Amino acid sequence: MTRRTTALSAAVALAAALALTGCSSDDGGPRLKVSGAYMPQPVMDMAGGFLTIENTGDTADKLTSVTSPLSDDVTMHETKDQKMRAVTSFDIPANGELKLARGGNHLMFMELKSKPKQGEKVSVELHFEKADPITVDLPVEAANHNPQQH
Ligand SMILES: [Cu+2]
């Protein structure tokens, strides 16, 4: 009885330890960090989203989907020859970054449930092939905001 209880509590402790370390990838997996996120204030019932995902891990990952309370229809777009095209994923290279910026890759929010104004925040959950999902708040900036021009 005592022995069994000990084994059980050891298993519970181990499970708790695993849960604690579950998000930080010391196992050589992708290590992702999001920066520079923003959404230009939407002028119609659609909006774009921009951010950079840095991967300091030795394993490549992919951004596979994006969800948000603002829209049930969030897609990933690339821009080629000034035309937007939906893609099923974006590559996040090992020891590299995925950059979503005006004129290039971006997130596309359709049929907005509300129209966020400058100064507000839009919550977005990023889903990856390997890494755990990351939730980020996109600050809403002026409609013509472009950090690259600063
Ligand atoms: Cu687009």
Side-chain angles (χ1 to χ4, degrees):
M1 177 64 191
T2 313
R3 170 171 264 165
R4 198 170 167 177
T5 310
T6 310
L8 182 65
S9 54
V12 168
L14 182 63
L18 285 173
L20 278 176
T21 54
C23 327
S24 65
S25 317
D26 297 317
D27 53 357
R31 240 176 287 162
L32 307 180
K33 204 181 119 203
V34 178
S35 64
Y38 74 96
M39 169 181 285
Q41 182 173 307
V43 285
M44 294 180 291
D45 71 338
M46 52 188 270
F50 305 96
L51 49 85
T52 298
I53 302 172
E54 190 190 359
N55 182 6
T56 55
D58 291 330
T59 306
D61 206 341
K62 279 178 200 287
L63 178 66
T64 52
S65 71
V66 179
T67 52
S68 170
L70 181 66
S71 165
D72 291 331
D73 182 6
V74 186
T75 49
M76 296 172 278
H77 279 182
E78 64 176 17
T79 308
K80 282 235 168 95
D81 302 325
Q82 317 233 356
K83 284 198 192 97
M84 302 192 300
R85 196 170 72 95
V87 294
T88 50
S89 68
F90 281 134
D91 289 334
I92 309 170
N95 296 300
E97 64 177 21
L98 165 67
K99 196 160 195 161
L100 307 185
R102 282 184 186 270
N105 298 336
H106 57 277
L107 306 179
M108 201 88 194
F109 301 73
M110 305 299 285
E111 294 178 39
L112 304 186
K113 294 176 186 174
S114 65
K115 257 197 195 171
K117 298 254 183 340
Q118 192 174 345
E120 294 179 357
K121 285 191 168 143
V122 173
S123 178
V124 164
E125 192 170 66
L126 308 171
H127 302 264
F128 304 97
E129 187 180 64
K130 300 191 185 100
D132 291 331
I134 297 177
T135 302
V136 277
D137 282 335
L138 309 191
V140 179
E141 303 281 2
N144 61 356
H145 179 77
N146 189 348
Q148 289 172 317
Q149 289 172 346
H150 289 291

